[in-house]
């Protein structure tokens, strides 16, 4: 992706990302954000149409760069504590990124060009706290193309409904099972119905269905089982489950209930493939992008997956190919004793813990930095 590093946002060449969107209707997003935010311009020129962030991405950005030091110093001097300062740093990045993607948002009439920011991961089991945090973030970011990220934990599914009902667009994150995904779709539909808005066209949502982590966990289980049949299924679970999730999406966004919402301008909650970088180096580096291409979907890719797809990805409609094979893999795994809902719960727990860990460790380091600044100022 040499051309992505050049220029000041002028299109250097067409890439497979442009083809992905124009030929197949899938929006490629970039799963990363740091300062200077203008680093996103070459990505936009190369066909990226949105950005996702999470507490781990911000921990890496803020702790590994001095680009935040000036603003942080000002905030601490103004008497802000570490957590308030953290949110100010994050909000500035999100606002700046929203500005860069606003032309795409305008061109597509609000269908694309979003930047996602997550509520505090400490609220993952707090229904009302999540609702309040989402309202606050939406208000302070104050950009039409911001997505407020809410995790799909059992406690936050009702939060999704309420936030959508308040007319706030949401990226639902950390979805690991088809059963939980169905609850997320229902929360979106319930929220639209409860909103009382006569025009629903500005309330949109994506459902971030995680892929590679599913294989990481199930592969370990298959290796433990150890039979030739089990070992033959390694690296196949995640894509199979994702294809089944897409079938559910097609079913839920059709029929009388959905049609009634469409009359009010409602837009489908698009499926977004997350965790698309390959964790097992033995697997093809486009394993979680190539087989999940289809209309009205999003694929958010960190650098590794994005570079691989631009370099040698295949642009073809694959999401609804081999569905019966995917169903066969899904049932074969169940027959081997793999409980999909349990897998989903474990991965959700690990995902929430990982984001909390990143958030807590960043706040600790910001507190230390803030105290050192205060001490230096008093000398």
């Amino acid at each position: 992706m040499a051309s992505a590093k050049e220029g000041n946002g002028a299109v250097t060449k067409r890439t497979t990302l442009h083809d992905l969107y124009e030929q197949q209707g899938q929006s490629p997003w970039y799963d990363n954000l740091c300062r200077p935010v203008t680093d996103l311009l070459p990505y936009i020129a190369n066909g990226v149409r949105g950005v996702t962030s999470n507490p781990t991405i911000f921990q890496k950005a803020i702790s590994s760069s001095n680009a935040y030091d000036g603003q942080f110093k000002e905030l601490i001097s103004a008497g802000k504590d570490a957590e308030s300062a953290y949110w100010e740093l994050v909000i500035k990045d999100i606002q700046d990124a929203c500005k860069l993607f606003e032309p795409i948002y305008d061109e597509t009439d609000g269908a694309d060009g979003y930047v996602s920011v997550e509520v505090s991961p400490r609220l993952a089991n707090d229904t009302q706290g999540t609702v309040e945090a989402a309202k606050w973030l939406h208000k302070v970011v104050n950009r039409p193309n911001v997505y407020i990220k809410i995790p799909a934990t059992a406690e936050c599914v009702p939060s999704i409904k309420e936030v959508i009902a308040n007319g706030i667009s949401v990226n639902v994150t950390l979805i690991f099972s088809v059963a939980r995904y169905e609850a997320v779709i229902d929360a979106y539909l319930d929220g639209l119905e409860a909103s009382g808005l006569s025009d629903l066209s500005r309330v949109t949502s994506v459902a971030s269905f995680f892929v590679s982590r599913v294989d990481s966990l199930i592969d370990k289980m298959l290796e433990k089982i150890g039979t030739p049949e089990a070992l033959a299924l390694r690296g196949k679970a995640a894509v199979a489950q994702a294809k089944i999730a897409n079938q559910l999406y097609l079913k839920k966004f059709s029929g009388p209930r959905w049609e009634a919402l469409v009359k009010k301008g409602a837009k489908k909650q698009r499926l977004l493939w997350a965790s698309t970088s390959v964790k097992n180096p033995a697997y093809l580096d486009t394993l979680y992008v190539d087989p999940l291409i289809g209309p009205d979907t999003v694929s958010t890719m960190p650098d590794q997956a994005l570079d691989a797809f631009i370099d040698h990805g295949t642009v073809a409609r694959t999401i609804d190919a081999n569905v019966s094979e995917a169903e066969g893999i899904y049932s074969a795994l169940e027959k081997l004793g793999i409980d999909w809902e349990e897998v989903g719960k474990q991965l959700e727990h690990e995902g929430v813990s990982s984001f909390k860990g990143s958030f807590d460790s960043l706040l600790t380091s910001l507190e230390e930095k803030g105290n050192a600044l205060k001490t230096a100022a008093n000398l």
Side-chain angles (χ1 to χ4, degrees), residues 55-78:
T56 304
I57 285 171
F58 276 118
Q59 186 221 359
K60 198 176 153 202
I62 296 170
S63 59
S64 65
S65 153
N66 56 12
Y68 295 84
D69 292 357
Q71 189 191 357
F72 182 68
K73 213 173 204 168
E74 279 169 29
L75 293 164
I76 294 299
S77 308

Side-chain angles (χ1 to χ4, degrees), residues 152-175:
T153 56
E155 295 87 348
C156 288
V157 169
S159 319
I160 296 158
K161 176 195 164 178
E162 197 173 325
V163 172
I164 291 288
N166 274 279
I168 295 168
S169 294
V170 174
N171 174 342
V172 183
T173 188
L174 296 175
I175 305 171

Side-chain angles (χ1 to χ4, degrees), residues 157-158 160-166 170 172 181-197 200 203-205 207 248-262 264 266-270:
V157 169
I160 296 158
K161 176 195 164 178
E162 197 173 325
V163 172
I164 291 288
N166 274 279
V170 174
V172 183
Y181 174 46
E182 184 157 19
V184 165
I185 298 175
D186 288 338
Y188 177 61
L189 297 174
D190 291 345
L192 290 176
E193 287 166 344
S195 74
L197 291 168
L200 294 169
V203 191
T204 70
S205 182
L248 178 67
Y249 160 82
L250 296 172
K251 186 178 124 197
K252 299 286 279 193
F253 288 100
S254 61
R257 182 185 187 189
W258 176 241
E259 291 309 321
L261 287 164
V262 170
K264 293 182 167 186
K267 289 175 175 156
K268 292 172 183 172
Q269 180 186 53
R270 289 186 296 171

